[in-house]
Tab-separated table of all heavy atoms in Angstrom:
chain	number	residue	atom	x	y	z
N	242	GLY	N	37.839	13.977	-62.638
N	242	GLY	CA	38.563	13.710	-63.812
N	242	GLY	C	37.526	13.945	-65.030
N	242	GLY	O	36.383	14.231	-64.763
N	243	THR	N	38.035	13.681	-66.235
N	243	THR	CA	37.174	13.956	-67.363
N	243	THR	C	37.044	12.645	-68.337
N	243	THR	O	36.204	12.682	-69.218
N	243	THR	CB	37.714	15.044	-68.324
N	243	THR	OG1	38.905	14.668	-68.862
N	243	THR	CG2	37.803	16.327	-67.575
N	244	PHE	N	37.854	11.715	-67.914
N	244	PHE	CA	37.811	10.506	-68.903
N	244	PHE	C	36.494	9.632	-69.019
N	244	PHE	O	36.213	8.889	-69.903
N	244	PHE	CB	38.949	9.605	-68.544
N	244	PHE	CG	39.235	8.536	-69.722
N	244	PHE	CD1	39.758	9.054	-70.976
N	244	PHE	CD2	38.968	7.208	-69.657
N	244	PHE	CE1	40.065	8.130	-71.951
N	244	PHE	CE2	39.224	6.371	-70.812
N	244	PHE	CZ	39.744	6.933	-71.903
N	245	GLN	N	35.618	9.854	-68.001
N	245	GLN	CA	34.240	9.289	-68.058
N	245	GLN	C	33.558	9.667	-69.197
N	245	GLN	O	32.778	8.921	-69.742
N	245	GLN	CB	33.468	9.632	-66.700
N	245	GLN	CG	33.097	11.087	-66.522
N	245	GLN	CD	34.207	11.894	-65.884
N	245	GLN	OE1	35.315	11.397	-65.668
N	245	GLN	NE2	33.936	13.116	-65.498
N	246	ASN	N	33.811	10.754	-69.863
N	246	ASN	CA	33.288	11.276	-71.076
N	246	ASN	C	33.799	10.468	-72.334
N	246	ASN	O	33.159	10.650	-73.470
N	246	ASN	CB	33.449	12.774	-71.262
N	246	ASN	CG	32.899	13.443	-70.050
N	246	ASN	OD1	31.710	13.337	-69.666
N	246	ASN	ND2	33.579	14.429	-69.568
N	247	GLU	N	34.818	9.732	-72.101
N	247	GLU	CA	35.473	9.056	-73.252
N	247	GLU	C	35.330	7.460	-73.121
N	247	GLU	O	35.963	6.810	-74.003
N	247	GLU	CB	36.963	9.464	-73.347
N	247	GLU	CG	36.952	10.940	-73.865
N	247	GLU	CD	38.451	11.300	-73.651
N	247	GLU	OE1	39.238	10.802	-74.442
N	247	GLU	OE2	38.789	12.381	-72.918
N	248	LEU	N	34.654	7.059	-72.096
N	248	LEU	CA	34.505	5.543	-71.912
N	248	LEU	C	33.586	5.085	-73.046
N	248	LEU	O	32.620	5.620	-73.455
N	248	LEU	CB	33.840	5.316	-70.710
N	248	LEU	CG	34.711	5.549	-69.388
N	248	LEU	CD1	33.836	5.312	-68.181
N	248	LEU	CD2	35.915	4.852	-69.355
N	249	ARG	N	34.010	4.004	-73.646
N	249	ARG	CA	33.247	3.333	-74.746
N	249	ARG	C	32.459	2.022	-74.493
N	249	ARG	O	31.677	1.702	-75.165
N	249	ARG	CB	34.254	2.972	-75.883
N	249	ARG	CG	35.038	4.214	-76.540
N	249	ARG	CD	35.852	3.819	-77.597
N	249	ARG	NE	36.950	5.044	-77.856
N	249	ARG	CZ	38.020	4.873	-78.463
N	249	ARG	NH1	38.322	3.731	-79.043
N	249	ARG	NH2	38.799	5.844	-78.700
N	250	ALA	N	32.932	1.440	-73.301
N	250	ALA	CA	32.192	0.257	-72.948
N	250	ALA	C	31.727	0.168	-71.495
N	250	ALA	O	30.632	0.025	-71.186
N	250	ALA	CB	33.094	-0.840	-73.219
N	251	TYR	N	32.753	0.603	-70.582
N	251	TYR	CA	32.424	0.575	-69.058
N	251	TYR	C	31.189	1.408	-68.693
N	251	TYR	O	30.982	2.594	-69.170
N	251	TYR	CB	33.527	1.148	-68.301
N	251	TYR	CG	33.310	0.937	-66.854
N	251	TYR	CD1	33.589	-0.249	-66.167
N	251	TYR	CD2	32.731	1.891	-66.072
N	251	TYR	CE1	33.291	-0.410	-64.874
N	251	TYR	CE2	32.439	1.799	-64.738
N	251	TYR	CZ	32.815	0.598	-64.202
N	251	TYR	OH	32.526	0.527	-62.832
N	252	GLY	N	30.263	0.650	-68.148
N	252	GLY	CA	29.076	1.331	-67.568
N	252	GLY	C	27.991	1.691	-68.589
N	252	GLY	O	27.075	2.245	-68.406
N	253	ARG	N	28.143	1.061	-69.902
N	253	ARG	CA	27.202	1.459	-70.933
N	253	ARG	C	26.336	0.253	-71.341
N	253	ARG	O	25.755	0.110	-72.487
N	253	ARG	CB	27.999	1.782	-72.204
N	253	ARG	CG	28.990	3.002	-71.879
N	253	ARG	CD	29.704	3.327	-73.194
N	253	ARG	NE	28.784	3.482	-74.297
N	253	ARG	CZ	28.475	4.577	-74.878
N	253	ARG	NH1	28.695	5.694	-74.467
N	253	ARG	NH2	27.620	4.441	-75.874
N	254	GLU	N	25.984	-0.598	-70.411
N	254	GLU	CA	25.174	-1.765	-70.669
N	254	GLU	C	23.837	-1.233	-71.277
N	254	GLU	O	23.128	-0.396	-70.845
N	254	GLU	CB	24.703	-2.450	-69.342
N	254	GLU	CG	23.788	-3.709	-69.542
N	254	GLU	CD	23.437	-4.363	-68.193
N	254	GLU	OE1	23.553	-3.797	-67.210
N	254	GLU	OE2	22.863	-5.513	-68.319
N	255	GLY	N	23.449	-1.965	-72.476
N	255	GLY	CA	22.128	-1.618	-73.018
N	255	GLY	C	22.294	-0.392	-74.015
N	255	GLY	O	21.341	-0.252	-74.930
N	256	GLU	N	23.306	0.333	-73.918
N	256	GLU	CA	23.456	1.504	-74.822
N	256	GLU	C	24.191	1.039	-76.086
N	256	GLU	O	24.887	0.052	-76.060
N	256	GLU	CB	24.349	2.574	-74.291
N	256	GLU	CG	23.748	3.188	-73.024
N	256	GLU	CD	24.796	4.201	-72.403
N	256	GLU	OE1	25.409	5.027	-73.232
N	256	GLU	OE2	24.768	4.312	-71.173
Side-chain angles (χ1 to χ4, degrees):
Chain N
T243 65
F244 197 72
Q245 62 278 11
N246 302 317
E247 296 171 58
L248 295 176
R249 299 180 196 167
Y251 183 85
R253 301 179 49 103
E254 182 182 15
E256 294 177 41

